[in-house]
Each structure stands twice: as structure tokens, then as C-alpha cells.
Amino acid sequence: MVLIRVFRMIGVAICIHFLCVRFGLADDLSAEQPVTLETFASKQDFVPTWMRLAEDKVHDPSGPAINELQYPGEILSRLPKDTLGNQVRWVTAMQSGAIKPRRSRLLPEDEIPVLDMDVLLNLRGSAHIVRFPHLAHTQWLSCNNCHEDIFKTKIGESKIGMINILSGEKCGLCHGAVSFPLIGCGRCHSVSRYTQLPYRAPGASGVGAVQ
Amino acid sequence: MMKRMRLIAGGVLCALAASVLLAVMAAPEAKAEYGDVVINNYSDKAGMRPAVFPHWYHRIRFACKVCHADLGFKFKAGGNEINMAKIIDGQFCGACHNGEIAWSVENCNICHSGLPGTPTQFHNSSQGRLFAPKGGASGLRGGGATFGPESQTAPSEGVAGKKGR
């Protein structure tokens, strides 16, 4: 029984590896250096293309407004490029000022809190450690989008796993639907176990809390 | 020894088959933009084209929180039970699509631009690709059924619904 379980695990691992290879992520996972947002998806030979709305099999090509709707590539092609999802690096686009999404519907920029604190997750697993950046998330979202219903504030209280995430819970509520998709393994699992962690001890201000 | 070898071979073959299957399923199917939501709770029955919500267009202009915290949109395709009465009343889409912040509701066809009969779905989502059920009896397909906050153990109200203004 144990042997079968081991083989099944090997099978799953190979399966994931093949998926990674298919989407060009294997290098990122096996890299010695942690994958950063700067190094990830900077494949220079990649040319993104976007589907015309009339051909996407979701819009009605005979609809009266089909020519009024904007072609995604018209604007997305001007933003920092990516290999996944919309083929736009949304966080980079916002942080570099390429787009300036309003953070409130009516008010000018009100006092919407931003939190700069990384959380390291999956410290005992075998994949790369997950670095969750609060900063990028709080620039888009407000605290109550996640806390306390989806994620508990207390470290270790939220049961997060890939099964959860793949079935659309926890991180998977957005990642895999709107934010970068789940085939971008190395974007969350970004900190190698074999390099010294560049984080201060838990408890210090602005620190990566450790689970 | 032979048995073990056979098991290894079996495992590898299974893995190959599974990965090929997944790869085929995950292959781009020449479809709409990542994150597009088709909302067809009532449209087909009312003789309208389903509404298509382009996430990419909106997130260039607004942060997620504006809709998902302030306006109370749940993280679930088709889960908000939006209808035209609510929109004209200024809820959901109507909070902006009122002729002041964005164009108003008389431009029916700009939203209702989907192919008739397209079920409610979160387009191109990872969940949709991995777990797309056959048919679509629930009206929700794929990642649309991203079991929203209400399916969590915590309060029955959605996270945004509870704390939104």
C-alpha cells in the first residue's frame, strides 16, 4: 500500500512537471535563485496576441455593438507583457504608473490603507516557499475582501492547500479567475529553500511572518 | 522486482496520460479574454443576449476593491443575482453605469453582447479548465462556481456583502 502511494505521488509529481514544461515554468521551479517578478515571464521572444471579440465564441459576432466594444489588444498590448492570463503584468502596470486604477468610485484617492508585509507560507513542504506580498494585494483590494472570512489574520489559522486553491477557494478565488492563473507556480512558490532567506526574524516590523 | 518495475512503469504511464489530458484541457481554446464573465441568469429567458463583463477593461480603471468591497459584488460569476431593476436602482453595475461615471443603461447592447445560449461562466479560468462539468445544469460552469465566501464556514453572508457600504 505504501509503495502504491509512493508511486502515485511520483506520478503526480511527473504530471505537474510535464504541465510546468508545457507552460515553460520548469526552469523557474528548478532555478537556484528565487524567481522574482522581474525575472519571471521576461521571455523576450514571446509575442502576445489577443482574440478579436467577434471571433472569441463568447461575443455574438452578429450583435449590434460588436464594433463598439474595444479590442483587448489595443490597450493590453501597451502594458507590461506577460505570458499568462491577460498577458499583462497587472501589478507591474500599476506600480510603474502605466495604469492608475481608481481606488474609490467617487472620492479622489482617499485614505485607503496599504500594508507592506510579506508572509512566508509552506515552510515545511517540498515545493518552493510561498511569499505572499501584502503590498501588491492591498494596492488592489481592501482588507475585508480577504479577512476574516477567506483568510484568518492569525498565522496558521487558515488551512491553505493546492486542492483548496485549485477548486477555487482561498487564493483560487482570484488566482485562476482574474489574477494570474494557477499554472504560474513559480510566482507564489518563489523563495528557494536552498538560499538564505532575506527576511528578518518574525515579530520585527514589516517582516515576513512565518508559518 | 518485476512487480515493482511494472508498478513504476504503470505510474509513469498514468502520469503521462494524465499530463497529456491536462495539457489538452488546459490548451487555449481560442476563446475570450482571461477573466471575462458571462452572466446569463435571466438574459436568455428574457430574450436578450447574455451580458459579458470584461474584467480587463474595468481593472485598468478601477481597483478590485471598488466593486468587490464597496459595491458588494461577490467573488462568484452569476452569484450576485443582478437584474435590470437593481441596476436602474443604482446597485451593482448601476453604481457607475448611470450616465455620470460611465455610460448608462439605455446602451443595452454593449453589455448584452454575448452569444445567445452561453451559460453563466467565468471565462478561461483555471478551475473551468480543470473541472468543467458536462452540460451545465446548474447554470454555473467551471470557475464560475468558485464557491464564494458564503460557502466558507464563517458567516453566511458574503465577505463583500457584509462589509460593503
Side-chain angles (χ1 to χ4, degrees), chain A residues 148-167:
Chain A
E148 291 284 320
D149 289 352
I150 302 174
F151 295 105
K152 304 285 180 220
T153 316
K154 198 174 169 202
I155 305 280
E157 289 284 296
S158 310
K159 298 295 170 219
I160 308 168
M162 284 315 297
I163 295 294
N164 268 342
I165 295 169
L166 281 163
S167 50

Side-chain angles (χ1 to χ4, degrees), chain A residues 7 11 22 50 58-60 64-65 70 86 90 101-103 105 140 144-145 166-167 172 176-179 182, chain B residues 8 15 23 33-35 49 57 59 61 63-65 68 95 109 113-115 122 125-127 130-131 147 159 163:
Chain A
F7 286 133
R22 185 179 184 282
W50 289 270
V58 166
H59 290 88
D60 187 350
Q70 190 178 27
N86 295 117
W90 287 105
R102 273 195 260 172
R103 305 197 61 222
R105 186 168 57 91
W140 289 104
N144 68 16
N145 279 124
L166 281 163
S167 50
V178 183
S179 22
L182 299 173
Chain B
I8 292 173
E33 200 48 43
Y34 179 71
R49 292 180 179 83
Y57 188 94
R59 71 181 295 187
R61 292 157 176 83
C64 318
K65 76 168 274 291
H68 288 293
N109 292 317
S113 60
L115 265 178
F122 213 124
S125 69
S126 302
Q127 289 88 29
L130 287 168
F131 303 117
F147 328 109
V159 56
K163 288 164 187 165

Side-chain angles (χ1 to χ4, degrees), chain B residues 60-126:
Chain B
I60 290 172
R61 292 157 176 83
F62 291 95
C64 318
K65 76 168 274 291
V66 175
C67 299
H68 288 293
D70 301 353
L71 298 182
F73 279 92
K74 293 177 189 170
F75 293 124
K76 185 175 181 179
N80 295 292
E81 294 172 9
I82 305 167
N83 59 34
M84 287 315 296
K86 290 180 187 172
I87 292 175
I88 292 164
D89 190 36
Q91 300 175 46
F92 296 112
C93 320
C96 291
H97 286 282
N98 53 10
E100 291 171 20
I101 297 178
W103 45 264
S104 64
V105 288
E106 64 262 21
N107 300 290
C108 319
N109 292 317
I110 298 185
C111 288
H112 291 276
S113 60
L115 265 178
T118 312
T120 298
Q121 61 181 288
F122 213 124
H123 199 73
N124 240 342
S125 69
S126 302

Side-chain angles (χ1 to χ4, degrees), chain B residues 26-40:
Chain B
E29 297 157 357
K31 288 292 185 63
E33 200 48 43
Y34 179 71
D36 279 5
V37 184
V38 179
I39 306 166
N40 195 359

Side-chain angles (χ1 to χ4, degrees), chain A residues 178-195:
Chain A
V178 183
S179 22
F180 67 76
L182 299 173
I183 48 176
C185 319
R187 297 199 183 180
C188 298
H189 293 272
S190 60
V191 180
S192 170
R193 291 173 194 282
Y194 308 108
T195 53

